[in-house]
Amino acid sequence: PPKAGVKRKKPAPAAAAAAKKQPAKKQKTNSGSSTRPKSGSKGGGEPKWTTLVHSGVLFPPEYEPHGVKMLYDGKPVELTPEQEEVASMFAIMKETDYMSKPTFLKNFWDGFKEVRQQQQQH
């Protein structure tokens, strides 16, 4: 319901009749550089922006090894910085729902074994 004291404009008779005769069409999304919404979309056709500035991709800082050894069968295992990074990511995930997902666990261990084998070959 409209708010009290707010008047709405009625559509022109020809436009209202045309809208009733034609079924609604799905608008295709355009990944181009449109600077205003398509007519009929939210916002009443008024421009919401005129430019988009993209400052490029932001990469995280390089991993800084902490030198903590991993325990495997109760024995400390020396890890390379790359292996340590992967093991640290896994340790962070221990408190999430991912630990209950067999596919996540299998994928992690397959990937970790691959990293371990690559480093052992060098």
Side-chain angles (χ1 to χ4, degrees):
K3 293 180 181 178
V6 176
K7 294 183 180 180
R8 292 184 169 205
K9 290 184 180 179
K10 292 183 181 179
K20 287 181 183 178
K21 289 180 184 177
Q22 296 178 354
K25 294 181 182 178
K26 286 187 176 180
Q27 291 183 356
K28 292 182 180 179
T29 56
N30 183 0
S31 61
S33 59
S34 177
T35 58
R36 64 186 297 164
K38 302 274 186 212
S39 62
S41 65
K42 292 181 181 178
E46 294 296 318
K48 293 191 178 202
W49 59 87
T50 57
T51 59
L52 172 66
V53 177
H54 193 284
S55 299
V57 180
L58 180 62
F59 292 97
E62 290 290 319
Y63 177 75
E64 293 183 29
H66 46 71
V68 175
K69 293 182 181 181
M70 179 180 79
L71 289 179
Y72 183 76
D73 282 339
K75 298 177 184 175
V77 176
E78 189 93 23
L79 299 174
T80 65
E82 185 179 24
Q83 295 167 346
E84 182 183 289
E85 181 177 11
V86 174
S88 294
M89 184 278 307
F90 185 74
I92 290 169
M93 301 299 282
K94 283 190 66 94
E95 300 299 320
T96 68
D97 290 338
Y98 284 103
M99 289 297 141
S100 65
K101 299 180 181 191
T103 302
F104 173 80
L105 295 170
K106 180 187 179 311
N107 289 342
F108 168 78
W109 287 112
D110 289 348
F112 189 61
K113 286 177 194 173
E114 188 176 305
V115 171
R116 292 276 299 156
Q117 289 170 355
Q118 287 174 357
Q119 296 299 322
Q120 289 174 354
Q121 291 173 357
H122 290 95

